[in-house]
């Protein structure tokens, strides 16, 4: 990973230079992968903090353990409604 000694102040420009402008194929792919990573980490950390297994979480949202695993491995990104069902099952409140 490249570093710049924390001198970057405009990350949008960095992303544009590296992945292209918003709306380009490469930038859209990067944004989707970044969102999948971010989502997976939020849910994985919340599940572990709640001391809940993938199986138990899957049971609470009427899904399969495999589905939860694929989310946590960034293989799929849950829909917004599923994301809300998951965070509700984990006892997380959004404000």
């Amino acid at each position: 990973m490249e570093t710049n000694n924390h001198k970057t102040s405009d990350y949008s420009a960095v992303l544009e230079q590296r992945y292209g402008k918003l709306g380009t194929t490469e930038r859209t792919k990067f944004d989707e992968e970044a969102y999948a990573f971010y989502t997976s980490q939020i849910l994985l950390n919340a599940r572990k903090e709640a001391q809940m297994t993938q199986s138990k979480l899957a049971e609470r949202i009427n899904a399969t353990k495999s589905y939860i695993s694929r989310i946590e491995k960034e293989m799929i990104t849950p829909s917004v409604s599923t994301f809300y069902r998951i965070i509700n099952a984990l006892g997380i409140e959004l404000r």
Side-chain angles (χ1 to χ4, degrees):
M1 176 180 239
E2 297 176 34
T3 63
N4 62 3
N5 298 320
H6 304 286
K7 294 179 183 175
T8 299
S9 60
D10 184 358
Y11 288 100
S12 294
V14 172
L15 291 174
E16 188 171 303
Q17 180 182 9
R18 186 163 193 156
Y19 300 103
K21 293 183 184 245
L22 285 173
T24 62
T25 303
E26 190 174 3
R27 179 64 179 270
T28 299
K29 182 177 183 247
F30 169 79
D31 288 343
E32 288 171 356
E33 289 172 356
Y35 181 74
F37 172 77
Y38 184 67
T39 302
S40 72
Q41 293 305 297
I42 288 171
L43 296 177
L44 173 64
N45 292 339
R47 182 182 61 76
K48 287 184 174 184
E49 189 174 308
Q51 299 179 347
M52 189 179 299
T53 65
Q54 289 179 342
S55 296
K56 186 63 175 177
L57 177 57
E59 181 182 308
R60 285 189 176 186
I61 68 162
N62 196 28
T64 63
K65 177 187 177 291
S66 172
Y67 181 73
I68 301 300
S69 177
R70 289 183 307 194
I71 292 171
E72 292 181 358
K73 290 179 180 176
E74 305 166 46
M75 297 171 71
I76 59 172
T77 303
S79 66
V80 172
S81 63
T82 301
F83 183 82
Y84 277 102
R85 285 191 359 243
I86 292 170
I87 62 172
N88 285 333
L90 293 170
I92 298 171
E93 290 184 28
L94 292 182
R95 299 175 203 205

